[in-house]
Amino acid sequence: MPKLGQHFIEEMINPSMYASQWFITVFSYSFPFPMTLRVWDVFLYEGIKVVFQVGLGLLRFCHDDLVKLPFEELLHSLRYFPDEATDPDTLFPLAFSFKVNSSLEELEKEYRKRLDGPNASSSSSKRLLPLKSKTMSRAVSQVLSISNVGKK
């Protein structure tokens, strides 16, 4: 949807202005309850990719209207969709026409390569561990030392 993407750039609309709510609530904030149940059913079965698919389906369904709207109306429209856009019989076929699985796997591979860095061997099967900050390490040390005081 290059025309819509260009319009978002012109209106200075960043995906975090609307899509973060989609991901945080898995559409339970803005969808009618029956539609939310359908989205959550698919979400629990197939995972996060359905959030991408439904989001892209909504953008495609509302494309012609969204490209005409100014900033304020655009943000409102990206939060509150018309009833016909949230009809599962209309939205799901459109949403499932987007194939996002391979793209997510490619992004994960790219992320792992960047994390491993240029000196990592290709045969290593490192497991990704969460990064700890110095502050977090100090906090954990303090908690452990406090809990050991009572044991002495």
Side-chain angles (χ1 to χ4, degrees):
M1 294 175 272
K3 190 175 179 182
L4 183 59
Q6 183 60 39
H7 183 63
F8 280 9
I9 290 169
E10 291 168 2
E11 294 294 329
M12 293 187 271
I13 299 288
N14 186 310
S16 64
M17 297 170 141
Y18 60 91
S20 58
Q21 185 182 63
W22 298 350
F23 282 91
I24 291 169
T25 67
V26 189
F27 295 101
S28 60
Y29 180 80
S30 57
F31 277 8
F33 189 68
M35 180 62 181
T36 301
L37 291 177
R38 297 271 300 265
V39 171
W40 272 83
D41 281 346
V42 180
F43 172 70
L44 293 172
Y45 183 74
E46 294 190 21
I48 193 69
K49 73 177 187 176
V50 74
V51 180
F52 286 96
Q53 290 173 309
V54 171
L56 291 168
L58 286 168
L59 292 175
R60 177 158 301 153
F61 184 86
C62 300
H63 178 278
D64 294 341
D65 295 328
L66 294 173
V67 295
K68 299 173 188 171
L69 298 176
F71 179 84
E72 294 82 12
E73 292 177 38
L74 192 54
L75 280 180
H76 180 78
S77 295
L78 290 167
R79 288 195 178 115
Y80 305 100
F81 296 98
D83 290 340
E84 55 273 7
T86 60
D87 175 23
D89 296 328
T90 304
L91 183 59
F92 275 107
L94 188 57
F96 294 143
S97 70
F98 290 97
K99 304 300 176 204
V100 296
N101 195 20
S102 63
S103 298
L104 290 176
E105 289 172 1
E106 290 170 15
L107 290 172
E108 180 182 8
K109 287 177 188 176
E110 182 181 331
Y111 170 75
R112 288 179 187 267
K113 282 181 189 177
R114 288 183 182 180
L115 188 66
D116 289 342
N119 298 331
S121 65
S122 60
S123 63
S124 70
S125 58
K126 280 187 186 177
R127 186 172 182 189
L128 295 177
L129 299 173
L131 301 174
K132 285 197 232 178
S133 68
K134 290 181 182 179
T135 306
M136 185 61 133
S137 296
R138 275 188 245 128
V140 170
S141 297
Q142 288 174 352
V143 168
L144 291 175
S145 66
I146 291 169
S147 64
N148 288 333
V149 169
K151 294 180 181 178
K152 290 183 181 177

